[in-house]
Amino acid sequence: MKSSRRWSNIIKPALAVSSLITVAGCAKDAPQDTWQPAGPNAKVIDDLQRPIFYIAGIVGVIVFAAVGWAIFRFRDRGQAMPEQTHGKPALEITLTVIPVLILIGVGVPTVGTIFDLAKTDDTEMTINVTGQQWWWEYDYPAVGDNAEVYGISDPIVTSGQLVIPEDTKVLLRVTSRDVIHSYWIPKLNGKKDSVPGRVHLLRMEGSEPGIYAGQCTEFCGLSHAYMRMEAVVLSKADYATWVANQLEVYSSPSADNVLAVEGEKLFLQQCARCHQVNGLLNADGSPNVAAPDQYMVSGAAPNLTNLMTRNTFAGASWDLLTPECRDDVWNATPAEFGEKYLAGVSEDCLNQKDLREWLRNAPEKKPMYADPTKLTETGGKYRGMPALGLTEDQISALVAYLLELK
Amino acid sequence: MITTGSKFLYGLGSATSIAAILWFIANDGGSIGVVSLAFLAVALFFMGAIASFVRDGHVLSTDTDAHASSNAAQRNVGRSWFPVGTAFSAGMVAIGLVSSPGIFKVGICLLFAMLGQWLIKNWSDRASSDVAYNEKVRAWVVHPLEIPVGGAIILAIIVLSFSRIMLSLSKESGLIVFSVMAALVLTFGSMVSVRRGANRRVIGAVAGVVLVALSGTGIAFALDGERHELVEAAAEDHFAHRACGEEAEETDEDAARSVSAKSSVAATVVLRDGRLFAEMDGWNGELTSITLQRSNPSTILFVNEDDHEHRMVVEYGKIVEDLGGGVSKDTVLEACTSLITKGGTQAVSIVIPKPSFASEEPYSITVPGVEGASIEIQVP
């Protein structure tokens, strides 16, 4: 009686935990679910992993059942030690040949898939992806098909969100400015390490307009967990609109928007040392050129031109949209998605809370080794944005200015 | 009387004292070396004094007859070439002082070596009345220095001889000659290793003959001079980066993480039939405009498929330095390969800190001397 109660005490919690884990695997809205491919590359991987998972599952069940049966059937009941034998060639050969055949069955399609995913000769668009602590930069070269087919007449630089046209074979040239990171948008393709000094190629293709989440999968320092990314797939028409918007010439806030004008001045004083806004002019009329190489370990800071056309900031760690507006974009149907995404961030939809917190004290929100007194190892250079000591009025002015960057 | 053992220690102490003085002069009063050497000298003199007091431990200190009767006092030192070597070295030093610093430096080294050997030889010859033992103690003292230094000298002779031969032979002949030599060395080494009973004298003799032949050949080729194109290149100053100012010894010395940079190039630039174009992973076809990430170490490999020698020049803006008083100094940012012969390759690694729109002059890759050979670099 005592024994059965003890077993019951162990088995019940174990069953509960197992069930919880199993049920968690059935989540429908998991944005980084590898079992929900949304592009041909991820589909190729999915086509491989499903049969392998089933085979492994069946093998696992058989092995666990056999072991369980053996444990139960031959448990110690005080019987005599059975006869010990050695050498059953037929059985040993069989038990060797079966796994070999299974491994061949798994290996052949795996190698085929690897070669399929490594193809680059059918590339239609090329984008440079550069990782650094702790955000991703995307630059769209104005070369070849990028310029001739997709209208990228000048290089475009963004961060946080990779924007690509649907049903287009995009090739990412992935590298890093500081340490090793890893680029992964699970619904569109597998992982690819970004290594300083090396260029790794990763195919990316989305079959349906929408946003697809991912995150850095190589531990890269203090804020590794905050190094996220999103891939935005737009219809080709919407993509052309997006490109045209990115290439629009910068214009300063109108004089009516006093707060934003004040914010632009403040941006030039405080932010433009590291953050580039293409087209922004200094007080003397010369083009402003940021110098992040003088202040940052990686030598780069996110280019904030057209910031409000993105939905995220700070390495895609926080949304620029309020939760309601964000859900509206994320849950939009493919047909509606482009319009909603291209609307960008309006004043009503701006997530003021997180943005203001970020401007107030960035290292408090995202750990970044940004203590000015502890920079001797890096020669005085930061790994992330330091606290700028802004007043609330200055933050309001900056927010008003950033809202103009569309 | 100063005993044999103490004489050795006094000699070493004197040499160390001189070394301390020379160190002081040569290092402009540097204290650590002087203090160390001075303490060493004091220690040696102290041990010499103890050795004198105990008569090297061979006889009682109170035995005054031992000055004349002990074995150490009886034996004469053996014949030695070291006085001749010392005189020759002193001559080199004197000649070097008025002619060449190189000769002077070699003379100084030889002088110290000869004096040291002479000192040790005299000491070891009086160490005991047993000649074999004396030879053994000399070996104990000298071999730890003699063998590595001798090995290094032989290695230097081999390297120098090989380099003279390489510089004189044509590229094609050099490949054949050194392949054959490598095969011969491997064969000889294999034979020696598998034949356990090989006569050491025979092996030594063969090695000696090979060394003499090699150094002789090296001297002959050195006298014959370097091959034509090297002489011409040196005469025409081909190795100076005229387009880039003074040549850096390593073109990629500024590259961060240079090992990984070399293993994966951002772009391969090819000069073929008078056309200059780039190839990049991820781009199909020949490119005349490439995009490099800002502030990111990028390695560009130059492949010269032209018949003539060429170098690649990468220009990526300039730095304006404010010298004060309204005066500024422009430093052009550029990187160059050396002159590359047909079929040759060389990589340069660069980090471009500013976007291309910030530069008055477009960033570019060119090959001086080839009309229209230019590739635009865009840095967003």
Side-chain angles (χ1 to χ4, degrees), chain A residues 96-119:
Chain A
T96 306
V97 168
I98 290 172
V100 167
L101 290 176
I102 291 172
L103 287 177
I104 289 172
V106 170
V108 170
T110 301
V111 172
T113 302
I114 289 169
F115 278 95
D116 278 350
L117 293 173
K119 273 175 65 179

Side-chain angles (χ1 to χ4, degrees), chain B residues 332-345:
Chain B
V332 177
L333 296 173
E334 56 190 354
C336 304
T337 64
S338 301
L339 272 181
I340 309 293
T341 53
K342 185 180 183 182
T345 62

Side-chain angles (χ1 to χ4, degrees), chain B residues 234-317:
Chain B
E236 294 182 5
D237 197 20
H238 275 197
F239 298 119
H241 283 168
R242 275 169 292 189
C244 294
E246 196 173 335
E247 177 180 13
E249 287 183 9
E250 291 288 339
T251 52
D252 57 353
E253 64 179 357
D254 294 328
R257 302 167 288 270
S258 57
V259 172
S260 60
K262 285 173 185 170
S263 65
S264 176
V265 295
T268 302
V269 171
V270 183
L271 178 67
R272 183 187 298 156
D273 303 329
R275 291 179 304 112
L276 190 70
F277 57 90
E279 294 170 346
M280 293 178 91
D281 281 346
W283 296 97
N284 298 323
E286 300 174 354
L287 303 170
T288 53
S289 174
I290 63 172
T291 301
L292 299 178
Q293 287 102 322
R294 180 180 178 179
S295 296
N296 192 42
S298 302
T299 302
I300 301 172
L301 185 73
F302 176 50
V303 179
N304 180 19
E305 295 185 2
D306 195 79
D307 289 334
H308 299 97
E309 291 179 330
H310 292 288
R311 71 162 49 87
M312 177 183 74
V313 179
V314 184
E315 293 179 336
Y316 52 102

